[in-house]
């Protein structure tokens, strides 16, 4: 079973804003001392000043790095680092969803059975430790990814049957069943090549090292700072800078203040909406740069179809009709998102705004009618708990807003009760059916609509009477089961014709809007802020951040 993203490190939405303590005099003195420390050398969290004369780039983040082992890494920050330290068989052309060969020299030759993929490999590539790259090394890397059994292993383990080096620079992969998006799966950051001389399939993971073939080598793995140096023998485009210092901050407030004081060159995930709004104003004034891009992270509400009263489709549909996405975006998200009407993001051709077409936004008359059909009235209200992570201000505000919308517009027929829990506890219990609802987000492993459908709606074992007993929807906490949707998921995975595949995705999305096991809410925008002397900033559609184009320039 494919692991779902709630098991990863919390996304930007989970960070808690820190309140200003009452001891203002002490804080003012402390901040003055901290600012002097940053201006003169190393700051309180170990950051190198961004005003340094070197061409190294200081990138600030609040993300916590758990591991750099590709077979174990399943977090945003580790994916970004592996993207810059390693190479995969395929990658996305910068700024697009167009797949292109990387360690492969061409796209696979697919057998008539749609199971056999033969891939030609690049010659003259070496690993960071000098070991030559060839088909055996690539086979070792993918075998290790699967056999180590780490969190991301099922991405390949569920799909691949065998991997063989059928030539010195030729790899042949046989699938268990046809999968139309397989080449996109090989662009996942963790499928990068690693040196067979530095790693083993047996033994523990290697969290604090990386030996691959990418444009950077890992120079230092520290608690607060990760340093990347350019790889002199890199086969491809060389970095335009002298290296990257990834500086980790303990809070978004520290990252925000350090960027404003020029202690970091680039501020990269995560900042609160009010901090982003402030930095956007500063960018408009010319103080620094703001780079915004439509992201592929979807925010949604899980509905447990086995729990009362959500076991009645009319109640689930009523909640869907209650949602006012434009109000949420403007009031809670400060306009920093895009309303979303399907689990598939708007950046995909397969996207269809089925929830907009079926329910609209804030359709209170429809919600009241649906509740009445289910037998719920002001005298006999439907009571539904709204659960969210305790350290997410944004989702706390969302739950309060939805509660108010129901109180003000549904005459008491629906009572929503916000409740919070620590995220670690939530992730451990989501698949146990404890929560009738939960508000989460999801970022894709690979850029294909399948990765927004199968991990939500697929179910390996169950029935429409009992719900999902084993599979993706059970793991997500929805317990949704549909024979027809399972059949459609299998069909789109084997269909090679893009137009026919889009038609299948449309039917799946229509079932999603009718059955409502999940309610899509919004699609994140991704923001990067950079000082005016930083050039070459590009953000991939899959939200990977390429470091090698970054360079220091003379601002106009």
């Amino acid at each position: 079973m494919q692991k779902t993203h709630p098991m990863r490190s919390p996304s930007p939405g989970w960070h808690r804003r820190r309140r200003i303590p009452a001891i203002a005099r002490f804080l003012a003195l402390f901040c003055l001392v901290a600012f002097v420390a940053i201006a003169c050398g190393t700051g309180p969290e170990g950051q190198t000043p961004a005003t340094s004369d070197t061409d190294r780039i200081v990138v600030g983040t609040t993300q916590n790095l758990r591991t750099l082992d590709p077979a174990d890494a399943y977090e945003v920050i580790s994916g970004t680092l592996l993207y810059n330290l390693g190479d995969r068989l395929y990658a996305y052309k910068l700024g697009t969803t167009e797949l292109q060969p990387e360690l492969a020299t061409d796209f696979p030759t697919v057998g008539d059975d749609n199971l056999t993929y033969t891939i030609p490999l690049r010659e003259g590539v070496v690993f960071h430790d000098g070991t030559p790259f060839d088909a055996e090394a690539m086979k070792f890397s993918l075998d290790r990814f699967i056999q180590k059994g780490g969190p991301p292993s099922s991405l390949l383990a569920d799909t691949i049957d065998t991997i063989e080096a059928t030539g010195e620079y030729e790899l042949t992969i046989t699938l268990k069943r046809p999968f139309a998006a397989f080449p996109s799966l090989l662009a996942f950051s963790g499928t990068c090549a690693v040196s067979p001389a530095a790693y083993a399939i047996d033994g523990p993971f290697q969290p604090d090292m990386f030996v691959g073939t990418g444009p950077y080598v890992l120079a230092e793995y520290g608690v607060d700072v990760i340093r990347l140096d350019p790889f002199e023998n890199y086969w491809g485009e060389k970095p335009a800078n002298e290296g990257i210092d990834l500086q980790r901050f303990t809070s978004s407030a520290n990252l925000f203040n350090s960027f404003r004081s020029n202690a970091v060159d680039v501020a990269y995930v995560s900042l609160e909406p009010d901090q982003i709004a402030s930095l956007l104003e500063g960018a408009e004034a010319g103080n620094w740069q703001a780079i915004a891009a439509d992201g592929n992270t979807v925010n949604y509400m899980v509905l447990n179809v086995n729990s009362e009263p959500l076991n009645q489709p009319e109640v689930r549909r009523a909640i869907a009709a209650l949602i006012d996405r434009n109000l949420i975006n403007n009031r809670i998200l400060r306009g920093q998102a895009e309303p979303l009407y399907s689990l598939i993001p708007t950046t995909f051709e397969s996207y269809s705004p089925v929830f907009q077409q079926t329910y609209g936004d804030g359709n209170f008359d429809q919600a009241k009618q649906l509740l009445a059909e289910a037998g719920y009235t002001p005298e006999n209200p439907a009571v539904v708990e709204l659960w969210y992570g305790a350290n997410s201000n944004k989702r706390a505000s969302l739950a309060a807003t939805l509660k108010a919308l129901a109180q003000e517009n549904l005459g008491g027929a629906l009572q929503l009760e916000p409740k919070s829990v620590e995220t670690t506890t939530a992730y451990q219990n989501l698949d146990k059916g404890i929560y009738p609802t939960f508000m989460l987000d999801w970022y894709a492993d690979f850029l294909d609509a399948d990765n927004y459908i199968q991990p939500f709606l697929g179910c390996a074992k169950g029935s429409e009477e009992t719900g999902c007993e084993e599979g993706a929807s059970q793991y997500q906490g929805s317990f949704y089961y549909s024979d027809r949707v399972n059949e459609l998921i299998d069909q789109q995975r084997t269909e090679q014709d893009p137009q026919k595949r889009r038609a299948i995705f449309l039917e799946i999305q229509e079932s999603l809007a009718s059955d409502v096991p999940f309610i899509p809410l919004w699609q994140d925008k991704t923001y990067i802020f950079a000082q005016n002397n930083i050039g070459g900033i590009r953000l991939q559609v899959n939200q990977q951040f390429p470091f090698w184009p970054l360079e220091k320039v003379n601002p106009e």
Side-chain angles (χ1 to χ4, degrees):
M1 180 187 67
Q2 176 167 324
K3 296 294 184 184
T4 61
H5 291 245
M7 294 303 294
R8 301 183 179 183
S9 287
S11 69
W14 296 106
H15 286 286
R16 184 197 299 269
R17 283 171 51 193
R18 294 193 172 183
R19 295 181 179 179
I20 300 175
I23 47 174
R25 291 184 180 179
F26 171 80
L27 250 190
L29 177 61
F30 174 81
C31 291
L32 176 61
V33 173
F35 178 80
V36 171
I38 291 171
C40 296
T42 301
E45 295 193 71
Q47 65 262 30
T48 301
T51 54
S52 170
D53 292 334
T54 72
D55 284 333
R56 295 188 69 86
I57 308 292
V58 181
V59 178
T61 183
T62 61
Q63 296 285 293
N64 186 26
L65 183 62
R66 179 181 62 87
T67 182
L68 273 178
D69 193 318
D72 189 34
Y74 214 1
E75 293 86 14
V76 173
I77 192 62
S78 56
T80 295
L81 286 167
L82 291 174
Y83 175 67
N84 287 279
L85 287 163
D87 294 318
R88 291 135 296 277
L89 288 169
Y90 299 97
Y92 296 100
K93 187 176 293 185
L94 287 181
T96 75
T97 57
E98 181 182 348
L99 206 63
Q100 64 181 6
E102 193 167 72
L103 287 177
T105 58
D106 202 349
F107 290 101
T109 299
V110 185
D112 293 338
D113 58 1
N114 289 327
L115 294 174
T116 306
Y117 286 70
T118 303
I119 303 171
L121 302 183
R122 191 176 298 278
E123 300 182 29
V125 177
V126 296
F127 289 97
H128 298 156
D129 62 357
T131 302
F133 168 81
D134 57 16
E136 288 290 349
M138 193 69 238
K139 169 181 164 53
F140 167 83
S141 302
L142 297 178
D143 281 342
R144 183 178 184 272
F145 181 91
I146 294 171
Q147 295 177 31
K148 291 294 289 182
S153 63
S154 60
L155 290 173
L156 298 186
D158 291 350
T159 305
I160 292 176
D161 186 20
T162 62
I163 305 170
E164 298 296 335
T166 48
E168 187 176 4
Y169 294 100
E170 181 184 270
L171 195 71
T172 299
I173 300 176
T174 303
L175 307 187
K176 295 179 178 178
R177 61 190 67 84
F179 184 30
F182 181 62
S184 296
L185 188 57
L186 295 176
F188 175 65
S189 59
T191 64
C192 54
V194 294
S195 171
Y199 292 86
I201 293 178
D202 297 330
F205 290 112
Q206 303 293 327
D208 56 357
M209 62 172 275
F210 182 81
V211 184
T213 64
Y216 291 97
V217 298
L218 181 64
E220 179 183 344
Y221 186 105
V223 175
D224 296 324
V225 180
I226 309 293
R227 300 190 193 278
L228 313 183
D229 288 346
F231 179 35
E232 295 181 357
N233 297 320
Y234 186 56
W235 61 269
E237 179 184 350
K238 302 293 195 300
N241 51 70
E242 293 182 357
I244 301 293
D245 296 337
L246 186 71
Q247 171 68 51
R248 181 180 173 271
F249 291 87
T250 55
S251 72
S252 60
N254 288 345
L255 174 59
F256 174 75
N257 291 329
S258 294
F259 177 78
R260 287 175 56 89
S261 63
N262 207 39
V264 296
D265 296 303
V266 179
Y268 171 63
V269 297
S270 309
L271 293 165
E272 294 287 343
D274 56 345
Q275 295 165 345
I276 292 174
S278 175
L279 292 179
L280 288 172
E281 291 178 2
E284 290 180 3
N287 297 332
W288 43 72
Q289 304 174 71
I291 298 88
D294 289 334
N296 284 306
T297 298
V298 299
N299 293 261
Y300 60 95
M301 182 190 299
V302 180
L303 283 77
N304 182 344
V305 300
N306 286 342
S307 67
E308 294 184 0
L310 297 174
N311 56 348
Q312 300 181 67
E314 293 83 3
V315 178
R316 303 197 299 269
R317 293 168 188 158
I319 296 175
L322 172 72
I323 303 295
D324 189 337
R325 292 166 182 79
N326 293 305
L327 176 69
I328 292 169
N329 190 26
N330 293 329
R331 179 180 296 179
I332 300 172
L333 306 175
R334 303 288 295 270
Q336 296 165 16
E338 181 178 358
L340 185 65
Y341 299 93
S342 173
L343 288 175
I344 299 175
T346 61
T347 50
F348 289 85
E349 291 184 359
S350 300
Y351 168 77
S352 178
V354 288
F355 276 76
Q356 185 177 42
Q357 297 163 355
T358 307
Y359 306 103
D361 282 285
N363 193 336
F364 307 124
D365 290 338
Q366 184 183 26
K368 286 189 286 188
Q369 180 180 345
L370 287 163
L371 289 167
E373 291 175 6
Y376 292 105
T377 64
E379 295 73 29
N380 178 40
V383 180
V384 178
E385 296 175 349
L386 293 181
W387 285 86
Y388 60 91
N391 55 344
S392 174
N393 289 334
K394 158 167 85 173
R395 288 183 174 82
S397 297
L398 172 60
T401 298
L402 294 180
K403 176 182 178 179
L405 283 177
Q407 287 177 335
E408 295 168 6
N409 299 285
L410 301 186
L414 175 64
Q415 295 180 6
L416 300 178
E417 299 180 348
K419 292 183 178 294
S420 64
V421 63
E422 290 300 322
T423 54
T424 302
T425 302
Y427 298 158
Q428 293 172 346
N429 294 306
L430 199 61
D431 61 349
K432 296 180 176 62
I434 292 175
Y435 310 112
T437 68
F438 216 96
M439 290 178 280
L440 295 165
D441 60 8
W442 171 271
Y443 56 96
D445 297 308
F446 56 97
L447 286 183
D448 187 85
D450 172 85
N451 204 226
Y452 294 89
I453 293 297
Q454 189 278 334
F456 289 87
L457 304 179
C459 183
K461 178 183 177 182
S463 69
E464 299 193 10
E465 291 74 28
T466 64
C468 184
E469 299 171 14
E470 181 180 322
S473 71
Q474 175 255 346
Y475 196 77
Q476 285 269 10
S478 173
F479 301 89
Y480 173 71
Y481 184 93
S482 166
D483 283 326
R484 178 57 178 165
V485 170
N486 281 333
E487 179 184 344
L488 291 169
I489 289 173
D490 289 341
Q491 286 181 14
Q492 63 82 16
R493 287 192 148 203
T494 59
E495 180 57 63
Q496 299 292 327
D497 186 307
Q499 190 170 359
K500 292 180 180 179
R501 197 161 179 253
R502 283 196 294 272
I504 298 172
F505 278 123
L506 175 59
E507 185 176 345
I508 294 174
Q509 291 172 92
E510 289 171 345
S511 295
L512 170 68
S514 175
D515 297 340
V516 199
F518 301 89
I519 300 176
L521 299 172
W522 72 84
Q523 179 176 322
D524 284 340
K525 289 183 180 178
T526 302
Y527 292 91
I528 293 178
F529 297 95
Q531 306 298 342
N532 286 327
N533 67 330
I534 302 299
I537 301 171
R538 305 174 189 177
L539 191 63
Q540 291 290 69
V541 178
N542 64 351
Q543 299 181 63
Q544 298 286 14
F545 183 13
F547 292 157
W548 62 89
L550 297 178
E551 60 180 334
K552 289 191 175 178
V553 298
N554 293 321
E556 297 180 0

